[in-house]
Amino acid sequence: MSPLEIFAVLISLIGVGLTVIRNMWCWLFNFFAFVLYAYLFYEFKLYGETILQFFFMVVNFYGFYYWLKGKQQDHDIRIKPIAPKVAIFQMIIAAVGGLLFGLILKNFTDAAVPMLDSQLAAFSLLATYWTSRKHIATWILWVFVDIIYVGMFIYKDLFLTAVLYAAFVLIAAYGWYQWEKVKRNSF
């Protein structure tokens, strides 16, 4: 447990907590968390997670813009549904992308757990995209992804990060509850 991991965990908790309450500051804290974790994951040879942090940075700017645009139009950040067919299609794309990425990591790097790392990266990217689009389904996906992350981080001796992701499971469940409550009150 390094000071870097401790700081990254704290910044991540703040960022995700702000996302749950739909606060625009979430994007700034999440960006800093991505930078910190990119470095940490690189040190632990979790290259899929390292690369994912850079994708998160890009999607972070998109999410900030999308939320800001919506806030300017609606004076509130509105939650939007996703059609089940669209969700399933996007999940298939994520699984195939994760598989291809995993094969690259497995054959061309010394990645610690290439196939698991790549699938988690792909589905995390999808969940982040869903967050930027304000789909409630993001929280459901995060619950499942974060549960698997806990196991991977324990395996890699990143125990504090494993605890963080266990907390993320609870936060995602709470986020799901909160966004459902907001959605019900909006209609």
Side-chain angles (χ1 to χ4, degrees):
M1 182 177 339
S2 68
L4 173 62
E5 185 180 13
I6 293 167
F7 189 59
V9 164
L10 292 174
I11 296 298
S12 295
L13 283 172
I14 293 168
V16 172
L18 291 171
T19 304
V20 168
I21 62 171
R22 298 175 299 128
N23 184 298
M24 289 295 293
W25 283 98
C26 71
W27 300 105
L28 178 65
F29 280 92
N30 288 332
F31 180 81
F32 287 128
F34 302 148
V35 171
L36 295 169
Y37 267 110
Y39 183 74
L40 183 70
F41 290 148
Y42 181 78
E43 287 185 337
F44 279 82
K45 297 185 179 186
L46 292 170
Y47 302 129
E49 298 311 309
T50 303
I51 293 169
L52 176 64
Q53 301 310 303
F54 290 102
F55 281 113
F56 279 168
M57 290 176 205
V58 172
V59 174
N60 196 68
F61 286 113
Y62 170 77
F64 174 77
Y65 168 77
Y66 193 81
W67 280 32
L68 185 63
K69 179 180 159 191
K71 188 172 185 133
Q72 289 172 342
Q73 292 172 350
D74 303 321
H75 305 292
D76 196 9
I77 298 166
R78 295 182 185 250
I79 297 164
K80 298 184 178 182
I82 186 171
K85 286 182 182 178
V86 172
I88 291 168
F89 176 73
Q90 290 177 352
M91 290 174 70
I92 290 169
I93 296 296
V96 170
L99 176 64
L100 295 174
F101 184 44
L103 291 171
I104 290 168
L105 290 177
K106 183 177 179 179
N107 292 309
F108 298 105
T109 73
D110 62 344
V113 283
M115 297 310 284
L116 179 60
D117 190 12
S118 64
Q119 284 298 323
L120 288 171
F123 279 97
S124 294
L125 193 56
L126 177 60
T128 301
Y129 172 72
W130 285 357
T131 302
S132 72
R133 300 298 295 179
K134 299 174 272 185
H135 297 313
I136 288 177
T138 190
W139 297 112
I140 300 165
L141 185 54
W142 277 124
V143 166
F144 288 103
V145 168
D146 289 342
I147 288 169
I148 299 168
Y149 267 126
V150 170
M152 183 177 78
F153 292 137
I154 288 171
Y155 174 76
K156 287 300 297 171
D157 296 329
L158 288 165
F159 298 113
L160 189 56
T161 300
V163 170
L164 171 68
Y165 277 73
F168 282 170
V169 172
L170 299 175
I171 292 170
Y174 181 72
W176 183 12
Y177 166 77
Q178 283 296 316
W179 283 30
E180 281 289 346
K181 191 166 85 172
V182 168
K183 185 179 92 171
R184 279 192 303 274
N185 293 336
S186 298
F187 296 110

